[in-house]
Amino acid sequence: MGTLQIRLHISLASLAMFLLKAWRATAFGVYGYHNFTKPGFAEHAKKFESEEMEARIEGKNRIVTGANSGLGYATAEGLASRGANVYMICRNKERGEAALSSIKSTMGNPNVNLEVWDLSSVNEIKSFASRFSSKDLPLHVLVGTFAMTELMLPLLEKVAPDAQVITVSSAGMYTSPLTIDLEYSDANFEGVEQYARNRRVQVALTEKWAEVHNERGFGFCSMHAGWAEMPSVAKSLPGFSKSLSGKLRTKQEGADTIIWLALQPKDKLVSGAFYFDRALAPKHLYVCSYW
């Protein structure tokens, strides 16, 4: 009888977990369809202030990772169009050079630079950080990763409060709670779930950075771009990409908030906060409120 009760308890707990995940996924899908798509951007854009994107940033140094395609490319392009000195971090030399050439010719900004190295290599990150630091240049905005941010803190502090770290997360983080199981010890590995976990951690990390480095005088923000049409999405989520064909945002619409954050003065932003479509966004979706 005791064994039966234990099995029944486990079965009910598993069922409850399954139903909770299904409920969360459904609520996320409905909310996302109305807010994260191209029509959602068009609706939110009605409240945008055009003058907030008109700043000229000549002489300001911006580092953008993953800049040869997708959101990274659109961000580098948008910052270059406003006169920034842009440092594009790309892993693939051929694609990086093509992106560099395109941005320079299109935007007419000669101060766009290409750095080719692998962001997944801590040694290569350290090497770049050392080279950049030796230039004795101030760093105003970093759109980057954990190791890069940690190594660049002294350069960002030099120009505080005119400095900002922007972490690009994903709307997918809404589907996952914060977990300490960062290496996914479950035997049944699920790539999409692990992606969501990592993106959730990015948001929590940004909040922690803002708390720990508050006295340095500059800000940390995270954001998500909504559902944008990119090669990575089509490759990793072909069914999702196909079902929302024509509804996904362009990479420029997805990168809009990254560029907006990079242009705003520190006193207009909340350090540690999460942003979407140029506004503060909740870090959790309370599913019952969307029905």
Side-chain angles (χ1 to χ4, degrees), residues 130-201:
S130 177
R131 293 196 310 274
F132 192 88
S133 298
S134 69
K135 299 175 187 291
D136 198 30
L137 294 172
L139 177 58
H140 300 86
V141 169
L142 170 63
V143 185
T145 58
F146 172 77
M148 174 84 85
T149 300
E150 289 289 325
L151 291 168
M152 291 297 188
L153 289 174
L155 297 182
L156 290 156
E157 190 172 14
K158 283 184 177 181
V159 292
D162 189 22
Q164 182 77 257
V165 175
I166 303 169
T167 300
V168 180
S169 182
S170 165
M173 72 98 189
Y174 282 125
T175 66
S176 175
L178 188 62
T179 176
I180 61 172
D181 184 17
L182 301 182
E183 296 183 358
Y184 208 104
S185 59
D186 193 309
N188 299 314
F189 179 80
E190 172 54 57
V192 173
E193 184 173 343
Q194 178 68 347
Y195 173 83
R197 288 183 180 186
N198 289 342
R199 296 304 191 176
R200 167 63 69 183
V201 168

Side-chain angles (χ1 to χ4, degrees), residues 56 77 80-81 83 101-112:
R56 299 296 302 175
E77 183 180 54
S81 73
S101 176
S102 176
I103 291 176
K104 276 188 170 183
S105 61
T106 303
M107 298 300 140
N109 183 346
N111 299 313
V112 184

Side-chain angles (χ1 to χ4, degrees), residues 63 65 89 115-133 142 144-152:
I63 293 178
T65 57
I89 311 300
E115 289 280 345
V116 180
W117 49 272
D118 189 352
L119 266 174
S120 66
S121 168
V122 175
N123 286 335
E124 291 192 33
I125 293 174
K126 289 180 177 179
S127 177
F128 168 75
S130 177
R131 293 196 310 274
F132 192 88
S133 298
L142 170 63
T145 58
F146 172 77
M148 174 84 85
T149 300
E150 289 289 325
L151 291 168
M152 291 297 188

Side-chain angles (χ1 to χ4, degrees), residues 200-263:
R200 167 63 69 183
V201 168
Q202 287 181 310
V203 175
L205 176 62
T206 298
E207 190 173 335
K208 189 65 176 179
W209 268 331
E211 176 188 333
V212 171
H213 299 298
N214 179 55
E215 294 184 359
R216 289 182 181 265
F218 59 89
F220 298 81
C221 292
S222 58
M223 58 76 65
H224 79 89
W227 294 344
E229 187 172 12
M230 296 181 291
S232 59
V233 175
K235 182 179 180 179
S236 60
L237 297 169
F240 171 83
S241 184
K242 184 177 181 180
S243 67
L244 288 174
S245 178
K247 297 287 187 180
L248 296 176
R249 299 176 175 209
T250 65
K251 60 179 181 287
Q252 286 80 15
E253 290 169 341
D256 179 83
T257 296
I258 307 174
I259 298 168
W260 178 82
L261 286 168
L263 297 176

Side-chain angles (χ1 to χ4, degrees), residues 42-71:
E43 183 62 28
H44 298 159
K46 294 176 182 178
K47 298 179 181 179
F48 291 174
E49 300 290 341
S50 59
E51 61 270 18
E52 293 179 339
M53 299 290 271
E54 294 173 356
R56 299 296 302 175
I57 46 177
E58 282 85 357
K60 301 295 180 69
N61 300 308
R62 265 69 172 161
I63 293 178
V64 182
T65 57
N68 65 276
S69 65
L71 298 179

